[in-house]
Amino acid sequence: MSDQPLVLGIETSCDETGVGIVRGETLLVDAVASSVDDHARFGGVVPEVASRAHLEEMVPTIERACREAGVALKDLDAISVTSGPGLAGSLMVGVASAKALALSLGIPLYGVNHLASHVAVDIVEHGPLPEPTLALLVSGGHSSLLLVPDVTNDIRSLGSTIDDAAGEAFDKVARVLGLPFPGGPHIDREARGGQVTIDFPRGLTTGRDMERHRFDFSFSGLKTSVSRWVQAREAAGEPVPVADVAASFQEAVVDVLTRKAVLACKEHGAQHLQIGGGVAANSRLREMAQSRCDAAGIELRVPRPGLCTDNGAMVAALGTQMVLKGREASRLDLPADSSMPVTQVQS
Ligand code: KG4
Ligand code: ZN
């Protein structure tokens, strides 16, 4: 037997029902049931559809995780769950399930922040987090630059998007180009066959915008610009060079994300940059981040794609850290908080 804590983590903040089990810093299983296909025809996640899918998938996913990890529920030391931010109805399913498990097993419950979990997951991939770590979290729901002195109780927000999230911009531009939802992977693939031929705007990177929003992002102007460019081609009866538009759009997003992330590392004395969230799967983002980090002497840490998208392993990874650092457990009446601030690690 190991004396490392064994923690089961539950994630239901969006459209993935995730159940992960971590012992110490070792990931035993990461079981995910996604309802993404149910949302595809709507072109975005439908909250009510997502909550119902969580209800249906919760028990089978917990059972599958335990079976695959060879773990019995009675062996668990604690339960952790995403208590926010996210879709209210979806969060409630996870929080209620976690409370039921913790109460019936007589073990502590940790309600934790989804974004902090995205940072903590890298511990099961690359070992202990350097302190401080600078984290760039980019997904369909969030785009944040965080300074993380201690993932269990000290996370500082340096900036975030003032309009669309980075993944949301990928999804919307994909729609304009006639590509399926979610659009990120399709733009990534199209872009590989294209050239960066169009100079799309880089929001909040110059002049007063940069002064006032040094580490914030804005992608809605970029999205509108792509949309106008495509409409103008269509109005002129000319074919739309989809691969070139995809490559040029992607270059604009990735340029801004990596430029601001590296600047934040330099200004805040962080020698490590971690990238997480679904957009971290983007091949050009990984490539540009690597070359800019190399040039600046910063070590880049990116978990494998399956751990970058929403999953239960990240919640279990943070839960384990809470136990190891001796943090107090949450109360059993903890709420699901759809707008939980990123600076609040635990509820
Ligand atoms: O983290 P995630 O699974 O869910 C949340 O939104 O929280 O992220 C999904 C987002 C979608 O917007 C999707 O288009 C984007 O991540 N994405 C990508 C890539 N793979 C997924 N964006 C750009 N390039 C990719 N390869
Ligand atoms: Zn997420």
Side-chain angles (χ1 to χ4, degrees):
M1 281 303 286
S2 156
D3 56 0
Q4 292 287 312
L6 184 66
V7 178
L8 181 143
I10 297 177
E11 153 63 36
T12 60
S13 68
C14 192
D15 57 344
E16 265 94 30
T17 312
V19 178
I21 303 178
V22 168
R23 187 192 294 283
E25 289 173 357
T26 308
L27 176 60
L28 302 186
V29 72
D30 179 28
V32 179
S34 176
S35 63
V36 67
D37 294 343
D38 300 341
H39 307 284
R41 69 194 167 99
F42 301 107
V45 175
V46 184
E48 183 61 16
V49 173
S51 328
R52 282 176 186 278
H54 288 309
L55 274 177
E56 282 165 21
E57 294 297 338
M58 182 54 66
V59 172
T61 311
I62 292 173
E63 287 174 347
R64 177 156 61 92
C66 287
R67 197 171 54 242
E68 286 176 12
V71 162
L73 288 176
K74 66 172 174 45
D75 299 333
L76 295 171
D77 295 307
I79 303 290
S80 55
V81 62
T82 301
S83 51
L87 302 172
S90 292
L91 288 168
M92 271 179 226
V93 178
V95 169
S97 310
K99 286 178 181 175
L101 271 178
L103 186 65
S104 61
L105 296 167
I107 55 178
L109 171 65
Y110 292 85
V112 295
N113 190 301
H114 178 80
L115 296 164
S117 302
H118 267 304
V119 180
V121 74
D122 201 44
I123 295 170
V124 300
E125 185 91 324
H126 296 116
L129 279 184
E131 296 177 348
T133 279
L134 203 124
L136 170 67
L137 297 184
V138 273
S139 76
H142 29 79
S143 304
S144 292
L145 265 177
L146 308 173
L147 182 67
V148 187
D150 177 349
V151 74
T152 65
N153 82 341
D154 188 4
I155 296 190
R156 301 173 201 175
S157 175
L158 301 180
S160 59
T161 180
I162 61 168
D163 41 56
D164 293 347
E168 196 180 349
F170 271 93
D171 296 339
K172 287 178 175 168
V173 165
R175 201 170 183 171
V176 168
L177 294 176
L179 302 169
F181 173 84
H186 297 281
I187 294 210
D188 195 346
R189 205 185 40 245
E190 284 288 338
R192 271 178 235 151
Q195 300 286 328
V196 179
T197 51
I198 313 152
D199 190 20
F200 285 126
R202 271 76 166 151
L204 307 183
T205 52
T206 53
R208 280 193 55 128
D209 279 348
M210 182 65 182
E211 273 169 38
R212 288 176 51 205
H213 294 283
R214 196 161 186 77
F215 297 122
D216 289 327
F217 304 107
S218 166
F219 299 111
S220 93
L222 169 61
K223 170 197 68 192
T224 307
S225 175
V226 174
S227 174
R228 290 221 181 98
W229 195 94
V230 169
Q231 278 164 6
R233 287 296 279 239
E234 283 169 348
E238 291 168 22
V240 175
V242 171
D244 289 353
V245 176
S248 306
F249 158 76
Q250 176 176 272
E251 194 73 6
V253 175
V254 167
D255 178 25
V256 177
L257 291 175
T258 55
R259 212 193 300 175
K260 292 206 176 198
V262 169
L263 183 66
C265 283
K266 286 185 187 159
E267 291 188 3
H268 289 273
Q271 265 128 35
H272 302 264
L273 172 65
Q274 187 199 330
I275 308 184
V279 181
N282 185 269
S283 56
R284 181 68 182 133
L285 175 59
R286 287 169 171 253
E287 188 179 73
M288 199 187 284
Q290 190 65 64
S291 67
R292 288 187 172 173
C293 280
D294 288 349
I298 295 164
E299 191 200 326
L300 178 66
R301 292 172 51 135
V302 192
R304 75 181 110 105
L307 294 180
C308 284
T309 51
D310 291 350
N311 62 79
M314 65 193 214
V315 185
L318 180 53
T320 312
Q321 290 301 306
M322 303 298 278
V323 175
L324 285 170
K325 292 245 176 152
R327 304 275 170 233
E328 217 171 290
S330 303
R331 288 167 45 131
L332 270 182
D333 62 352
L334 78 105
D337 181 356
S338 60
S339 52
M340 191 170 176
V342 62
T343 45
Q344 182 189 337
V345 175
Q346 187 184 359
S347 52

